[in-house]
Amino acid sequence: MNFVAIPEYTACATEHLALPSTLPACISAQVSLDEIAFAGRHGQIQPLLAADSATHNGHLQVLSGFSTFLALKNAGAGRIVCRILPHDLPPATAFALRILHDRQACLQSPILQAWLLKEAQAQLPVQDVLPLPALMGLKAQPHVLQERIRLLLLDDVVQEALHNQELHVKNLVPLQRLPLEEQKRLIALIRQYRLGGSKQQKMVELVVDLHLREGRCVEDLLAQWRHSDPPRDNLPQESQSLLGFLHLLLNPRLVHAEARFEERLRRLQAPAQVRIAHTPAFEDEQLSVQLSYSSWSALERHWPQILKAVEKGNPDL
């Protein structure tokens, strides 16, 4: 087993540290006010990873902990402690250390993953690159590697949304079916209402389907929704209203059929333990009725009556 040498640490003047020139803008030019405030209040919690670089005029190049570096720098830190990678460290080991040293950020940011894997691909043979995605929580497969690297071809706005975890990477494929300007408007909408999980997925699906089916753009859809006088009490209520409105636009017959079904249910006044369901898309008039019982004995007591009712109502039995 190979062991990494005992690490060397040094306190570097902040002005003598530099970020890699190839770092995406959403990583190199962005740090939250909360991170800056935390750095100003608590100082440096753990060292950065750095190395000498012939292309940085004697400066040390920061290799991981980019948001930490930017937060400390913006908080006015004069010196920053760094772990210095030795020159004789095998490149594959160095990339693994870069990932592990800032693993939480790597797990969260698809763009950071993409950049690190692209850097590794440019410097390492493919057999040394393939194990790296697993350290980021990705599958160690060639197509996963290439799909992740292709994220760097996206527009800066889309990259920023992915990096900040505002846009889930699984929603990227349907999003890209929209023109770029529509992608940006939809991302702004997701950011405004802080949509995540299933709500974000539903919003993307509805907007994309309406655009492909009817040529509708985001601004037109929003204008029509606002004209319907939606609730303005809070963001969750607004977003739920918008999702319902878009669903109605896309499926007007289905929504009206659902409303008619609910009205007929109310008129039936069925007991709480009775559940009546329609076929998934109202393709026919068939219904199913489900009864709930608190125990097996309760069902047995009621079973003869159920049999009589079914036999009386269905002459085929």
mmCIF file of all heavy atoms in Angstrom, residues 229-275:
data_model
loop_
_atom_site.group_PDB
_atom_site.id
_atom_site.type_symbol
_atom_site.label_atom_id
_atom_site.label_comp_id
_atom_site.label_asym_id
_atom_site.label_seq_id
_atom_site.Cartn_x
_atom_site.Cartn_y
_atom_site.Cartn_z
ATOM 1 N N ASP A 229 -55.641 36.616 -11.157
ATOM 2 C CA ASP A 229 -55.680 37.079 -9.764
ATOM 3 C C ASP A 229 -55.308 35.974 -8.778
ATOM 4 O O ASP A 229 -56.089 35.582 -7.914
ATOM 5 C CB ASP A 229 -57.071 37.625 -9.425
ATOM 6 C CG ASP A 229 -57.070 38.409 -8.104
ATOM 7 O OD1 ASP A 229 -55.998 38.933 -7.729
ATOM 8 O OD2 ASP A 229 -58.129 38.474 -7.467
ATOM 9 N N PRO A 230 -54.068 35.472 -8.871
ATOM 10 C CA PRO A 230 -53.643 34.383 -7.973
ATOM 11 C C PRO A 230 -53.386 34.913 -6.568
ATOM 12 O O PRO A 230 -53.293 36.128 -6.351
ATOM 13 C CB PRO A 230 -52.333 33.914 -8.620
ATOM 14 C CG PRO A 230 -51.792 35.148 -9.278
ATOM 15 C CD PRO A 230 -52.995 35.888 -9.788
ATOM 16 N N PRO A 231 -53.239 34.013 -5.590
ATOM 17 C CA PRO A 231 -52.931 34.461 -4.214
ATOM 18 C C PRO A 231 -51.547 35.094 -4.152
ATOM 19 O O PRO A 231 -50.631 34.686 -4.867
ATOM 20 C CB PRO A 231 -52.975 33.164 -3.399
ATOM 21 C CG PRO A 231 -52.725 32.079 -4.391
ATOM 22 C CD PRO A 231 -53.349 32.551 -5.684
ATOM 23 N N ARG A 232 -51.406 36.099 -3.305
ATOM 24 C CA ARG A 232 -50.113 36.777 -3.138
ATOM 25 C C ARG A 232 -49.688 36.764 -1.678
ATOM 26 O O ARG A 232 -48.957 37.636 -1.233
ATOM 27 C CB ARG A 232 -50.220 38.225 -3.639
ATOM 28 C CG ARG A 232 -50.569 38.352 -5.116
ATOM 29 C CD ARG A 232 -49.484 37.776 -6.006
ATOM 30 N NE ARG A 232 -49.818 37.849 -7.414
ATOM 31 C CZ ARG A 232 -49.487 38.858 -8.207
ATOM 32 N NH1 ARG A 232 -48.844 39.886 -7.707
ATOM 33 N NH2 ARG A 232 -49.811 38.845 -9.487
ATOM 34 N N ASP A 233 -50.150 35.768 -0.923
ATOM 35 C CA ASP A 233 -49.886 35.743 0.518
ATOM 36 C C ASP A 233 -48.450 35.355 0.841
ATOM 37 O O ASP A 233 -47.796 35.966 1.682
ATOM 38 C CB ASP A 233 -50.846 34.772 1.218
ATOM 39 C CG ASP A 233 -52.294 35.216 1.082
ATOM 40 O OD1 ASP A 233 -52.527 36.439 1.013
ATOM 41 O OD2 ASP A 233 -53.162 34.341 1.026
ATOM 42 N N ASN A 234 -47.943 34.312 0.176
ATOM 43 C CA ASN A 234 -46.576 33.873 0.419
ATOM 44 C C ASN A 234 -46.095 33.063 -0.778
ATOM 45 O O ASN A 234 -46.883 32.655 -1.640
ATOM 46 C CB ASN A 234 -46.472 33.048 1.711
ATOM 47 C CG ASN A 234 -47.438 31.880 1.729
ATOM 48 O OD1 ASN A 234 -47.474 31.082 0.802
ATOM 49 N ND2 ASN A 234 -48.254 31.791 2.784
ATOM 50 N N LEU A 235 -44.789 32.809 -0.822
ATOM 51 C CA LEU A 235 -44.202 32.130 -1.970
ATOM 52 C C LEU A 235 -44.744 30.710 -2.173
ATOM 53 O O LEU A 235 -45.032 30.334 -3.309
ATOM 54 C CB LEU A 235 -42.671 32.108 -1.840
ATOM 55 C CG LEU A 235 -41.982 33.468 -1.981
ATOM 56 C CD1 LEU A 235 -40.473 33.316 -1.812
ATOM 57 C CD2 LEU A 235 -42.286 34.092 -3.345
ATOM 58 N N PRO A 236 -44.860 29.882 -1.135
ATOM 59 C CA PRO A 236 -45.400 28.538 -1.370
ATOM 60 C C PRO A 236 -46.798 28.550 -1.978
ATOM 61 O O PRO A 236 -47.095 27.760 -2.874
ATOM 62 C CB PRO A 236 -45.400 27.910 0.036
ATOM 63 C CG PRO A 236 -44.325 28.634 0.771
ATOM 64 C CD PRO A 236 -44.391 30.037 0.255
ATOM 65 N N GLN A 237 -47.678 29.449 -1.504
ATOM 66 C CA GLN A 237 -49.028 29.525 -2.060
ATOM 67 C C GLN A 237 -48.993 29.994 -3.515
ATOM 68 O O GLN A 237 -49.722 29.478 -4.364
ATOM 69 C CB GLN A 237 -49.890 30.462 -1.230
ATOM 70 C CG GLN A 237 -50.325 29.890 0.115
ATOM 71 C CD GLN A 237 -51.307 30.797 0.831
ATOM 72 O OE1 GLN A 237 -51.648 31.864 0.338
ATOM 73 N NE2 GLN A 237 -51.766 30.364 1.998
ATOM 74 N N GLU A 238 -48.148 30.968 -3.794
ATOM 75 C CA GLU A 238 -48.036 31.464 -5.174
ATOM 76 C C GLU A 238 -47.543 30.370 -6.109
ATOM 77 O O GLU A 238 -48.087 30.165 -7.198
ATOM 78 C CB GLU A 238 -47.087 32.653 -5.229
ATOM 79 C CG GLU A 238 -47.663 33.943 -4.675
ATOM 80 C CD GLU A 238 -46.718 35.105 -4.909
ATOM 81 O OE1 GLU A 238 -46.113 35.169 -5.993
ATOM 82 O OE2 GLU A 238 -46.579 35.945 -4.000
ATOM 83 N N SER A 239 -46.498 29.657 -5.681
ATOM 84 C CA SER A 239 -45.936 28.632 -6.544
ATOM 85 C C SER A 239 -46.924 27.495 -6.766
ATOM 86 O O SER A 239 -47.030 26.959 -7.871
ATOM 87 C CB SER A 239 -44.625 28.101 -5.955
ATOM 88 O OG SER A 239 -44.840 27.472 -4.707
ATOM 89 N N GLN A 240 -47.670 27.129 -5.730
ATOM 90 C CA GLN A 240 -48.668 26.074 -5.882
ATOM 91 C C GLN A 240 -49.774 26.516 -6.836
ATOM 92 O O GLN A 240 -50.254 25.728 -7.662
ATOM 93 C CB GLN A 240 -49.262 25.710 -4.516
ATOM 94 C CG GLN A 240 -50.090 24.444 -4.514
ATOM 95 C CD GLN A 240 -49.284 23.219 -4.925
ATOM 96 O OE1 GLN A 240 -48.146 23.040 -4.507
ATOM 97 N NE2 GLN A 240 -49.871 22.385 -5.771
ATOM 98 N N SER A 241 -50.174 27.778 -6.732
ATOM 99 C CA SER A 241 -51.182 28.312 -7.647
ATOM 100 C C SER A 241 -50.667 28.297 -9.083
ATOM 101 O O SER A 241 -51.393 27.932 -10.013
ATOM 102 C CB SER A 241 -51.549 29.743 -7.231
ATOM 103 O OG SER A 241 -52.318 30.382 -8.235
ATOM 104 N N LEU A 242 -49.417 28.680 -9.272
ATOM 105 C CA LEU A 242 -48.836 28.706 -10.616
ATOM 106 C C LEU A 242 -48.754 27.295 -11.203
ATOM 107 O O LEU A 242 -49.094 27.080 -12.371
ATOM 108 C CB LEU A 242 -47.454 29.345 -10.567
ATOM 109 C CG LEU A 242 -46.673 29.400 -11.887
ATOM 110 C CD1 LEU A 242 -47.483 30.094 -12.973
ATOM 111 C CD2 LEU A 242 -45.334 30.093 -11.684
ATOM 112 N N LEU A 243 -48.331 26.330 -10.404
ATOM 113 C CA LEU A 243 -48.264 24.949 -10.884
ATOM 114 C C LEU A 243 -49.650 24.439 -11.286
ATOM 115 O O LEU A 243 -49.807 23.782 -12.323
ATOM 116 C CB LEU A 243 -47.655 24.042 -9.808
ATOM 117 C CG LEU A 243 -46.148 24.165 -9.589
ATOM 118 C CD1 LEU A 243 -45.732 23.417 -8.326
ATOM 119 C CD2 LEU A 243 -45.391 23.628 -10.804
ATOM 120 N N GLY A 244 -50.648 24.741 -10.461
ATOM 121 C CA GLY A 244 -52.010 24.324 -10.793
ATOM 122 C C GLY A 244 -52.512 24.976 -12.064
ATOM 123 O O GLY A 244 -53.183 24.342 -12.884
ATOM 124 N N PHE A 245 -52.187 26.269 -12.239
ATOM 125 C CA PHE A 245 -52.609 26.999 -13.434
ATOM 126 C C PHE A 245 -51.974 26.398 -14.691
ATOM 127 O O PHE A 245 -52.651 26.187 -15.705
ATOM 128 C CB PHE A 245 -52.216 28.469 -13.291
ATOM 129 C CG PHE A 245 -52.564 29.323 -14.465
ATOM 130 C CD1 PHE A 245 -53.848 29.811 -14.624
ATOM 131 C CD2 PHE A 245 -51.615 29.630 -15.428
ATOM 132 C CE1 PHE A 245 -54.189 30.604 -15.718
ATOM 133 C CE2 PHE A 245 -51.937 30.415 -16.523
ATOM 134 C CZ PHE A 245 -53.228 30.904 -16.663
ATOM 135 N N LEU A 246 -50.681 26.103 -14.628
ATOM 136 C CA LEU A 246 -49.991 25.517 -15.778
ATOM 137 C C LEU A 246 -50.528 24.124 -16.087
ATOM 138 O O LEU A 246 -50.656 23.734 -17.259
ATOM 139 C CB LEU A 246 -48.481 25.458 -15.506
ATOM 140 C CG LEU A 246 -47.769 26.809 -15.345
ATOM 141 C CD1 LEU A 246 -46.307 26.602 -14.994
ATOM 142 C CD2 LEU A 246 -47.913 27.664 -16.604
ATOM 143 N N HIS A 247 -50.828 23.372 -15.047
ATOM 144 C CA HIS A 247 -51.400 22.046 -15.238
ATOM 145 C C HIS A 247 -52.753 22.134 -15.938
ATOM 146 O O HIS A 247 -53.062 21.328 -16.825
ATOM 147 C CB HIS A 247 -51.547 21.351 -13.886
ATOM 148 C CG HIS A 247 -52.118 19.971 -13.964
ATOM 149 N ND1 HIS A 247 -51.459 18.924 -14.558
ATOM 150 C CD2 HIS A 247 -53.312 19.466 -13.533
ATOM 151 C CE1 HIS A 247 -52.200 17.829 -14.481
ATOM 152 N NE2 HIS A 247 -53.332 18.133 -13.869
ATOM 153 N N LEU A 248 -53.555 23.123 -15.559
ATOM 154 C CA LEU A 248 -54.859 23.324 -16.199
ATOM 155 C C LEU A 248 -54.692 23.705 -17.664
ATOM 156 O O LEU A 248 -55.420 23.214 -18.535
ATOM 157 C CB LEU A 248 -55.641 24.403 -15.463
ATOM 158 C CG LEU A 248 -56.996 24.804 -16.066
ATOM 159 C CD1 LEU A 248 -57.919 23.594 -16.127
ATOM 160 C CD2 LEU A 248 -57.630 25.918 -15.242
ATOM 161 N N LEU A 249 -53.706 24.563 -17.969
ATOM 162 C CA LEU A 249 -53.459 24.950 -19.363
ATOM 163 C C LEU A 249 -53.071 23.746 -20.209
ATOM 164 O O LEU A 249 -53.483 23.615 -21.364
ATOM 165 C CB LEU A 249 -52.349 25.995 -19.434
ATOM 166 C CG LEU A 249 -52.673 27.419 -19.000
ATOM 167 C CD1 LEU A 249 -51.444 28.303 -19.176
ATOM 168 C CD2 LEU A 249 -53.845 27.989 -19.800
ATOM 169 N N LEU A 250 -52.274 22.868 -19.623
ATOM 170 C CA LEU A 250 -51.768 21.733 -20.383
ATOM 171 C C LEU A 250 -52.791 20.606 -20.484
ATOM 172 O O LEU A 250 -52.825 19.876 -21.482
ATOM 173 C CB LEU A 250 -50.481 21.202 -19.717
ATOM 174 C CG LEU A 250 -49.668 20.188 -20.507
ATOM 175 C CD1 LEU A 250 -49.141 20.818 -21.794
ATOM 176 C CD2 LEU A 250 -48.516 19.658 -19.667
ATOM 177 N N ASN A 251 -53.630 20.479 -19.458
ATOM 178 C CA ASN A 251 -54.585 19.367 -19.422
ATOM 179 C C ASN A 251 -55.990 19.865 -19.100
ATOM 180 O O ASN A 251 -56.574 19.467 -18.085
ATOM 181 C CB ASN A 251 -54.164 18.341 -18.366
ATOM 182 C CG ASN A 251 -52.739 17.883 -18.544
ATOM 183 O OD1 ASN A 251 -52.449 17.070 -19.402
ATOM 184 N ND2 ASN A 251 -51.847 18.403 -17.709
ATOM 185 N N PRO A 252 -56.581 20.713 -19.908
ATOM 186 C CA PRO A 252 -57.879 21.300 -19.539
ATOM 187 C C PRO A 252 -58.987 20.257 -19.383
ATOM 188 O O PRO A 252 -59.772 20.324 -18.438
ATOM 189 C CB PRO A 252 -58.178 22.259 -20.701
ATOM 190 C CG PRO A 252 -57.329 21.775 -21.832
ATOM 191 C CD PRO A 252 -56.099 21.200 -21.210
ATOM 192 N N ARG A 253 -59.059 19.268 -20.273
ATOM 193 C CA ARG A 253 -60.122 18.263 -20.185
ATOM 194 C C ARG A 253 -59.940 17.383 -18.954
ATOM 195 O O ARG A 253 -60.899 17.047 -18.267
ATOM 196 C CB ARG A 253 -60.124 17.416 -21.452
ATOM 197 C CG ARG A 253 -60.504 18.194 -22.708
ATOM 198 C CD ARG A 253 -60.457 17.312 -23.931
ATOM 199 N NE ARG A 253 -61.414 16.211 -23.826
ATOM 200 C CZ ARG A 253 -61.511 15.242 -24.729
ATOM 201 N NH1 ARG A 253 -60.708 15.233 -25.788
ATOM 202 N NH2 ARG A 253 -62.405 14.278 -24.574
ATOM 203 N N LEU A 254 -58.676 17.023 -18.671
ATOM 204 C CA LEU A 254 -58.413 16.175 -17.510
ATOM 205 C C LEU A 254 -58.771 16.900 -16.215
ATOM 206 O O LEU A 254 -59.379 16.329 -15.304
ATOM 207 C CB LEU A 254 -56.935 15.765 -17.490
ATOM 208 C CG LEU A 254 -56.477 14.910 -16.307
ATOM 209 C CD1 LEU A 254 -57.229 13.593 -16.275
ATOM 210 C CD2 LEU A 254 -54.974 14.671 -16.365
ATOM 211 N N VAL A 255 -58.413 18.169 -16.114
ATOM 212 C CA VAL A 255 -58.702 18.938 -14.900
ATOM 213 C C VAL A 255 -60.203 19.094 -14.706
ATOM 214 O O VAL A 255 -60.725 18.949 -13.591
ATOM 215 C CB VAL A 255 -58.006 20.317 -14.964
ATOM 216 C CG1 VAL A 255 -58.454 21.192 -13.801
ATOM 217 C CG2 VAL A 255 -56.487 20.144 -14.928
ATOM 218 N N HIS A 256 -60.923 19.384 -15.787
ATOM 219 C CA HIS A 256 -62.375 19.530 -15.666
ATOM 220 C C HIS A 256 -63.031 18.199 -15.288
ATOM 221 O O HIS A 256 -63.990 18.164 -14.499
ATOM 222 C CB HIS A 256 -62.965 20.062 -16.975
ATOM 223 C CG HIS A 256 -62.614 21.486 -17.243
ATOM 224 N ND1 HIS A 256 -62.710 22.472 -16.282
ATOM 225 C CD2 HIS A 256 -62.161 22.108 -18.368
ATOM 226 C CE1 HIS A 256 -62.335 23.637 -16.801
ATOM 227 N NE2 HIS A 256 -61.992 23.440 -18.065
ATOM 228 N N ALA A 257 -62.512 17.102 -15.847
ATOM 229 C CA ALA A 257 -63.048 15.787 -15.499
ATOM 230 C C ALA A 257 -62.803 15.479 -14.026
ATOM 231 O O ALA A 257 -63.671 14.925 -13.341
ATOM 232 C CB ALA A 257 -62.409 14.712 -16.380
ATOM 233 N N GLU A 258 -61.637 15.852 -13.539
ATOM 234 C CA GLU A 258 -61.320 15.651 -12.122
ATOM 235 C C GLU A 258 -62.268 16.464 -11.245
ATOM 236 O O GLU A 258 -62.745 15.983 -10.196
ATOM 237 C CB GLU A 258 -59.870 16.054 -11.845
ATOM 238 C CG GLU A 258 -59.404 15.835 -10.422
ATOM 239 C CD GLU A 258 -59.205 14.363 -10.091
ATOM 240 O OE1 GLU A 258 -58.611 13.638 -10.898
ATOM 241 O OE2 GLU A 258 -59.673 13.961 -9.004
ATOM 242 N N ALA A 259 -62.541 17.691 -11.645
ATOM 243 C CA ALA A 259 -63.452 18.539 -10.863
ATOM 244 C C ALA A 259 -64.861 17.943 -10.831
ATOM 245 O O ALA A 259 -65.528 17.951 -9.790
ATOM 246 C CB ALA A 259 -63.481 19.951 -11.461
ATOM 247 N N ARG A 260 -65.332 17.438 -11.973
ATOM 248 C CA ARG A 260 -66.659 16.809 -12.011
ATOM 249 C C ARG A 260 -66.710 15.573 -11.122
ATOM 250 O O ARG A 260 -67.695 15.339 -10.417
ATOM 251 C CB ARG A 260 -67.031 16.440 -13.450
ATOM 252 C CG ARG A 260 -67.350 17.632 -14.351
ATOM 253 C CD ARG A 260 -68.056 17.191 -15.618
ATOM 254 N NE ARG A 260 -67.246 16.246 -16.387
ATOM 255 C CZ ARG A 260 -66.368 16.601 -17.311
ATOM 256 N NH1 ARG A 260 -66.167 17.897 -17.575
ATOM 257 N NH2 ARG A 260 -65.691 15.685 -17.973
ATOM 258 N N PHE A 261 -65.631 14.801 -11.134
ATOM 259 C CA PHE A 261 -65.560 13.598 -10.301
ATOM 260 C C PHE A 261 -65.616 13.962 -8.818
ATOM 261 O O PHE A 261 -66.341 13.337 -8.034
ATOM 262 C CB PHE A 261 -64.267 12.833 -10.621
ATOM 263 C CG PHE A 261 -64.046 11.613 -9.775
ATOM 264 C CD1 PHE A 261 -64.738 10.439 -10.026
ATOM 265 C CD2 PHE A 261 -63.154 11.639 -8.717
ATOM 266 C CE1 PHE A 261 -64.541 9.309 -9.242
ATOM 267 C CE2 PHE A 261 -62.948 10.519 -7.928
ATOM 268 C CZ PHE A 261 -63.646 9.351 -8.199
ATOM 269 N N GLU A 262 -64.875 14.974 -8.415
ATOM 270 C CA GLU A 262 -64.867 15.398 -7.020
ATOM 271 C C GLU A 262 -66.247 15.894 -6.593
ATOM 272 O O GLU A 262 -66.690 15.648 -5.461
ATOM 273 C CB GLU A 262 -63.814 16.495 -6.807
ATOM 274 C CG GLU A 262 -62.370 16.033 -6.985
ATOM 275 C CD GLU A 262 -61.959 15.008 -5.943
ATOM 276 O OE1 GLU A 262 -62.525 15.039 -4.823
ATOM 277 O OE2 GLU A 262 -61.074 14.174 -6.235
ATOM 278 N N GLU A 263 -66.954 16.589 -7.486
ATOM 279 C CA GLU A 263 -68.294 17.076 -7.163
ATOM 280 C C GLU A 263 -69.270 15.908 -6.975
ATOM 281 O O GLU A 263 -70.100 15.916 -6.046
ATOM 282 C CB GLU A 263 -68.786 18.000 -8.277
ATOM 283 C CG GLU A 263 -70.220 18.504 -8.101
ATOM 284 C CD GLU A 263 -70.433 19.259 -6.794
ATOM 285 O OE1 GLU A 263 -69.458 19.876 -6.300
ATOM 286 O OE2 GLU A 263 -71.554 19.216 -6.265
ATOM 287 N N ARG A 264 -69.168 14.908 -7.804
ATOM 288 C CA ARG A 264 -70.053 13.749 -7.667
ATOM 289 C C ARG A 264 -69.732 12.984 -6.378
ATOM 290 O O ARG A 264 -70.630 12.440 -5.732
ATOM 291 C CB ARG A 264 -69.905 12.836 -8.884
ATOM 292 C CG ARG A 264 -70.349 13.512 -10.170
ATOM 293 C CD ARG A 264 -70.202 12.618 -11.368
ATOM 294 N NE ARG A 264 -71.289 11.647 -11.453
ATOM 295 C CZ ARG A 264 -71.474 10.842 -12.497
ATOM 296 N NH1 ARG A 264 -70.654 10.912 -13.540
ATOM 297 N NH2 ARG A 264 -72.468 9.984 -12.508
ATOM 298 N N LEU A 265 -68.449 12.933 -5.993
ATOM 299 C CA LEU A 265 -68.072 12.314 -4.726
ATOM 300 C C LEU A 265 -68.722 13.037 -3.547
ATOM 301 O O LEU A 265 -69.212 12.407 -2.603
ATOM 302 C CB LEU A 265 -66.549 12.326 -4.555
ATOM 303 C CG LEU A 265 -65.745 11.201 -5.198
ATOM 304 C CD1 LEU A 265 -64.277 11.332 -4.811
ATOM 305 C CD2 LEU A 265 -66.271 9.837 -4.778
ATOM 306 N N ARG A 266 -68.706 14.360 -3.592
ATOM 307 C CA ARG A 266 -69.314 15.147 -2.504
ATOM 308 C C ARG A 266 -70.810 14.858 -2.406
ATOM 309 O O ARG A 266 -71.370 14.766 -1.308
ATOM 310 C CB ARG A 266 -69.062 16.639 -2.714
ATOM 311 C CG ARG A 266 -67.633 17.076 -2.381
ATOM 312 C CD ARG A 266 -67.522 18.599 -2.330
ATOM 313 N NE ARG A 266 -67.653 19.169 -3.666
ATOM 314 C CZ ARG A 266 -66.628 19.361 -4.493
ATOM 315 N NH1 ARG A 266 -65.390 19.021 -4.104
ATOM 316 N NH2 ARG A 266 -66.799 19.899 -5.684
ATOM 317 N N ARG A 267 -71.452 14.699 -3.553
ATOM 318 C CA ARG A 267 -72.893 14.429 -3.536
ATOM 319 C C ARG A 267 -73.201 13.034 -2.993
ATOM 320 O O ARG A 267 -74.246 12.819 -2.390
ATOM 321 C CB ARG A 267 -73.478 14.592 -4.948
ATOM 322 C CG ARG A 267 -73.503 16.039 -5.437
ATOM 323 C CD ARG A 267 -74.552 16.228 -6.528
ATOM 324 N NE ARG A 267 -74.304 15.369 -7.683
ATOM 325 C CZ ARG A 267 -73.636 15.747 -8.771
ATOM 326 N NH1 ARG A 267 -73.123 16.980 -8.828
ATOM 327 N NH2 ARG A 267 -73.480 14.914 -9.779
ATOM 328 N N LEU A 268 -72.297 12.095 -3.185
ATOM 329 C CA LEU A 268 -72.499 10.745 -2.655
ATOM 330 C C LEU A 268 -72.442 10.704 -1.136
ATOM 331 O O LEU A 268 -73.069 9.853 -0.512
ATOM 332 C CB LEU A 268 -71.432 9.786 -3.206
ATOM 333 C CG LEU A 268 -71.635 9.214 -4.605
ATOM 334 C CD1 LEU A 268 -70.482 8.296 -4.968
ATOM 335 C CD2 LEU A 268 -72.956 8.439 -4.688
ATOM 336 N N GLN A 269 -71.641 11.621 -0.550
ATOM 337 C CA GLN A 269 -71.469 11.661 0.906
ATOM 338 C C GLN A 269 -71.034 10.291 1.446
ATOM 339 O O GLN A 269 -71.601 9.749 2.392
ATOM 340 C CB GLN A 269 -72.759 12.121 1.595
ATOM 341 C CG GLN A 269 -73.168 13.534 1.221
ATOM 342 C CD GLN A 269 -74.415 14.000 1.942
ATOM 343 O OE1 GLN A 269 -75.187 13.194 2.473
ATOM 344 N NE2 GLN A 269 -74.634 15.306 1.982
ATOM 345 N N ALA A 270 -70.033 9.724 0.823
ATOM 346 C CA ALA A 270 -69.544 8.413 1.240
ATOM 347 C C ALA A 270 -68.876 8.499 2.614
ATOM 348 O O ALA A 270 -68.290 9.527 2.975
ATOM 349 C CB ALA A 270 -68.528 7.898 0.219
ATOM 350 N N PRO A 271 -68.982 7.441 3.433
ATOM 351 C CA PRO A 271 -68.313 7.429 4.744
ATOM 352 C C PRO A 271 -66.799 7.579 4.589
ATOM 353 O O PRO A 271 -66.227 7.301 3.521
ATOM 354 C CB PRO A 271 -68.676 6.041 5.304
ATOM 355 C CG PRO A 271 -69.886 5.611 4.548
ATOM 356 C CD PRO A 271 -69.768 6.217 3.191
ATOM 357 N N ALA A 272 -66.147 7.977 5.661
ATOM 358 C CA ALA A 272 -64.711 8.255 5.622
ATOM 359 C C ALA A 272 -63.891 7.032 5.247
ATOM 360 O O ALA A 272 -62.819 7.148 4.646
ATOM 361 C CB ALA A 272 -64.249 8.806 6.971
ATOM 362 N N GLN A 273 -64.374 5.835 5.618
ATOM 363 C CA GLN A 273 -63.595 4.619 5.355
ATOM 364 C C GLN A 273 -63.792 4.082 3.935
ATOM 365 O O GLN A 273 -63.236 3.052 3.574
ATOM 366 C CB GLN A 273 -63.919 3.512 6.370
ATOM 367 C CG GLN A 273 -65.328 2.955 6.283
ATOM 368 C CD GLN A 273 -66.291 3.720 7.191
ATOM 369 O OE1 GLN A 273 -66.094 4.903 7.456
ATOM 370 N NE2 GLN A 273 -67.307 3.023 7.685
ATOM 371 N N VAL A 274 -64.551 4.787 3.124
ATOM 372 C CA VAL A 274 -64.805 4.362 1.746
ATOM 373 C C VAL A 274 -63.994 5.240 0.793
ATOM 374 O O VAL A 274 -64.071 6.468 0.853
ATOM 375 C CB VAL A 274 -66.305 4.456 1.397
ATOM 376 C CG1 VAL A 274 -66.535 4.115 -0.080
ATOM 377 C CG2 VAL A 274 -67.114 3.528 2.284
ATOM 378 N N ARG A 275 -63.223 4.603 -0.075
ATOM 379 C CA ARG A 275 -62.427 5.332 -1.068
ATOM 380 C C ARG A 275 -62.877 4.937 -2.463
ATOM 381 O O ARG A 275 -62.939 3.746 -2.794
ATOM 382 C CB ARG A 275 -60.940 5.030 -0.906
ATOM 383 C CG ARG A 275 -60.052 5.791 -1.884
ATOM 384 C CD ARG A 275 -58.585 5.463 -1.658
ATOM 385 N NE ARG A 275 -57.731 6.201 -2.573
ATOM 386 C CZ ARG A 275 -57.424 5.802 -3.815
ATOM 387 N NH1 ARG A 275 -57.904 4.646 -4.269
ATOM 388 N NH2 ARG A 275 -56.637 6.530 -4.576
#
